[in-house]
Amino acid sequence: MRRFFSALVLALFAATAIAVPAQAHAELKSSNPASGATLDAPPKQVELTFSDVVSLPDGDAITITGPDGAKWPVSQAQAVDRTITAVVDGATVHAGAHTVAWRAQADDGDVVSGTFTFTVALTATSSATAPPPASVTMSAPVTNAAPSTTPASSGGVPAWVWIVLVLVVLAGAVLLVRRRKA
């Protein structure tokens, strides 16, 4: 009986150790432009930094939608280690809140996604159709207020919960059989 419980406890720890790290997903840690930032001119590029290594998913990794609902042209998206960058091509920019929708493929193959906003406050000296001059920098503090990182294949209950449940049911069945024999 002791051997059985020792084996059960060892199997439980092994299953938990294997299953729990697999549930971790890359999370968006920072962005440039920062979530909630106010810019005097449209950004030249978007940079997303994640908590883990990511790659580009199938489809668009980054889309930017203006306050009028028009999408900005974004090109040359690339993923290097924990960072995805994309070039913002010249677009007709309107003052107001702009939404960045992003998607990234985590190292475990799951696709994570989310959105954040930044505001463009066009000044009299900035152009509404061209990216800002090279001297403009976006060094605002890079923070992200609760990005949405919902896995595309979120099936509800994590796998490790099912493993623990199966092990508990098996242990109960074995104890019941042994008790009836005695």
Side-chain angles (χ1 to χ4, degrees), residues 41-116:
K44 287 184 176 183
Q45 75 172 13
V46 174
E47 180 178 285
L48 307 174
T49 304
F50 293 86
S51 62
D52 202 0
V53 176
V54 292
S55 59
L56 295 177
D58 292 334
D60 293 334
I62 298 174
T63 57
I64 302 173
T65 307
D68 59 351
K71 292 194 186 284
W72 289 10
V74 178
S75 64
Q76 301 176 24
Q78 59 181 342
V80 178
D81 292 326
R82 297 174 183 226
T83 305
I84 293 180
T85 57
V87 174
V88 178
D89 300 324
T92 303
V93 179
H94 299 282
H98 294 72
T99 302
V100 176
W102 57 267
R103 295 177 55 233
Q105 186 167 349
D107 227 11
D108 63 0
D110 286 340
V111 175
V112 293
S113 61
T115 60
F116 65 90

Side-chain angles (χ1 to χ4, degrees), residues 78-165:
Q78 59 181 342
V80 178
D81 292 326
R82 297 174 183 226
T83 305
I84 293 180
T85 57
V87 174
V88 178
D89 300 324
T92 303
V93 179
H94 299 282
H98 294 72
T99 302
V100 176
W102 57 267
R103 295 177 55 233
Q105 186 167 349
D107 227 11
D108 63 0
D110 286 340
V111 175
V112 293
S113 61
T115 60
F116 65 90
T117 59
F118 66 90
T119 302
V120 175
L122 296 176
T123 63
T125 59
S126 64
S127 170
T129 57
S135 62
V136 174
T137 60
M138 314 271 187
S139 59
V142 183
T143 58
N144 220 344
S148 167
T149 55
T150 306
S153 62
S154 105
V157 180
W160 67 269
V161 172
W162 291 110
I163 292 170
V164 169
L165 182 63

